[in-house]
């Protein structure tokens, strides 16, 4: 939800709630991640077109798995498994923060941001191991919306992730096809593809229906793991609702939809 703020209602307060759920096949490993985010964006452009903002996210995550479907070396030849697992559940609280710059008008949108996740470096352990912490993750991203003509926009994007000894780079672009425009009747279709360097190819599809957005993407493995996975990856479904608060969500606010 975006809410105008400040004396002239040129600044923007952002409030968001998110839930991420994932379940793997092996050991039925399940994670549920709940996020609450607050942000404030300061306008410093005469035409409402430049914002410098910062935000913070508070999270709670819970994880579980089923050890009965795991296979240990002692299980072979009808052996007896002596592996002791302290717990099959683990949960933690987390904090993330970031800043971003937006420059946008009716046609062009530029977004640049940097954020740090897992600021508290929480511990995720099933055996009371205090060293099983999550490294802080630094993320830098840039996105741009370039109109091609009245019906098509090109939206290139790129992001860099650094977490402990690991790093990742992903880049690609969407093509936005405008069906109708005008407030709650803003209907658009997005089709695009992204490449996670050395890991996977990701086609994606999205539909904007006014305040609702539906997305679908699939990861096709391109790394050496494709020999095992047979190039298969995993699908992702996305549902986004951009709401308004009656009486205060008024005024002219440019809101990029990347």
């Amino acid at each position: 939800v975006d809410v105008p703020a400040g004396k002239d209602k040129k600044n923007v307060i952002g409030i968001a709630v998110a839930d991420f759920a994932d379940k793997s096949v092996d050991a039925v490993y399940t994670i549920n991640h709940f996020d609450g985010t607050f942000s404030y964006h300061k306008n410093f452009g005469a035409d409402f077109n430049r914002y410098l903002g910062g935000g913070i996210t508070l999270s709670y995550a819970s994880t579980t798995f089923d050890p009965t479907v795991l296979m240990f070396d002692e299980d072979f030849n009808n052996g007896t498994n002596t592996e002791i697992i302290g717990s099959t559940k683990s949960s933690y609280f987390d904090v993330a923060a970031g800043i971003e710059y937006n420059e946008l008008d009716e046609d062009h949108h530029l977004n640049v941001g940097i954020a740090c996740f897992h600021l508290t470096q929480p511990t995720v352990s099933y055996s009371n191991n205090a060293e099983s912490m999550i490294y802080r993750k630094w993320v830098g991203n840039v996105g741009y919306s370039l109109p091609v003509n009245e019906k098509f926009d090109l939206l290139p994007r790129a992001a860099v992730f650094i977490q402990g000894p690991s790093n990742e780079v992903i880049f690609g672009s969407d093509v936005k096809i405008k069906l109708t425009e005008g407030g709650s009747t803003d209907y658009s279709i997005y089709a695009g593809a992204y490449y996670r360097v050395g890991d996977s190819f990701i086609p994606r599809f999205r539909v904007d229906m006014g305040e609702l957005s539906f997305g679908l993407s699939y990861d096709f493995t391109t790394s050496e793991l494709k020999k095992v996975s047979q190039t298969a990856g995993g699908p992702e479904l996305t549902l986004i609702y951009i709401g308004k608060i009656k009486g205060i969500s008024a005024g002219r606010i440019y809101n990029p939809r990347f």
Side-chain angles (χ1 to χ4, degrees), residues 7-43:
K7 183 178 180 180
D8 298 323
K9 303 297 183 181
K10 293 183 178 180
N11 305 323
V12 182
I13 291 175
I15 302 172
V17 178
D19 175 34
F20 172 80
D22 185 52
K23 180 181 290 187
S24 68
V25 176
D26 295 336
V28 197
Y29 186 81
T30 302
I31 180 170
N32 283 286
H33 206 285
F34 303 93
D35 303 316
T37 300
F38 175 85
S39 65
Y40 189 86
H41 302 266
K42 175 65 177 177
N43 174 267

Side-chain angles (χ1 to χ4, degrees), residues 67-125:
T68 63
V69 298
L70 294 175
M71 180 69 71
F72 297 89
D73 56 351
E74 295 176 327
D75 293 320
F76 288 96
N77 296 323
N78 297 319
T80 300
N81 184 9
T82 60
E83 190 77 24
I84 299 176
I85 298 177
S87 176
T88 61
K89 300 179 180 180
S90 182
S91 60
Y92 60 90
F93 290 95
D94 206 353
V95 180
I99 59 174
E100 72 169 3
Y101 170 76
N102 283 283
E103 183 174 327
L104 53 161
D105 54 33
E106 296 287 0
D107 296 318
H108 301 81
H109 299 159
L110 172 66
N111 172 268
V112 180
I114 184 171
C116 182
F117 296 83
H118 312 303
L119 282 168
T120 58
Q121 297 192 105
T123 298
V124 182
S125 175

Side-chain angles (χ1 to χ4, degrees), residues 186-201:
D186 184 2
Y187 281 44
S188 301
I189 295 176
Y190 300 72
Y194 291 79
Y195 179 61
R196 185 181 294 115
V197 176
D199 181 67
S200 60
F201 171 73

Side-chain angles (χ1 to χ4, degrees), residues 125-247:
S125 175
Y126 305 98
S127 58
N128 296 320
N129 183 359
E131 295 182 0
S132 297
M133 68 177 183
I134 303 178
Y135 291 108
R136 291 190 180 97
K137 178 168 70 174
W138 294 90
V139 180
N141 70 279
V142 60
Y144 189 68
S145 176
L146 175 67
V148 178
N149 54 40
E150 292 183 356
K151 288 293 183 181
F152 294 90
D153 287 353
L154 187 64
L155 288 79
R157 290 185 291 182
V160 177
F161 305 83
I162 302 173
Q163 186 172 24
S166 305
N167 60 77
E168 179 178 289
V169 177
I170 182 171
F171 62 91
S173 182
D174 290 307
V175 174
K176 177 181 179 180
I177 305 172
K178 305 172 189 176
L179 302 180
T180 61
E181 289 187 285
S184 60
T185 62
D186 184 2
Y187 281 44
S188 301
I189 295 176
Y190 300 72
Y194 291 79
Y195 179 61
R196 185 181 294 115
V197 176
D199 181 67
S200 60
F201 171 73
I202 311 166
R204 68 189 300 267
F205 178 79
R206 183 175 125 194
V207 177
D208 283 354
M209 302 175 61
E211 297 171 342
L212 281 174
S213 291
F214 302 88
L216 172 65
S217 65
Y218 192 91
D219 290 20
F220 290 96
T221 304
T222 59
S223 67
E224 291 298 315
L225 292 175
K226 66 183 179 182
K227 298 177 182 178
V228 178
S229 66
Q230 298 181 344
T231 313
E236 288 191 9
L237 295 173
T238 305
L239 172 63
I240 301 173
Y241 174 72
I242 301 177
K244 297 179 180 179
I245 299 177
K246 187 176 181 180

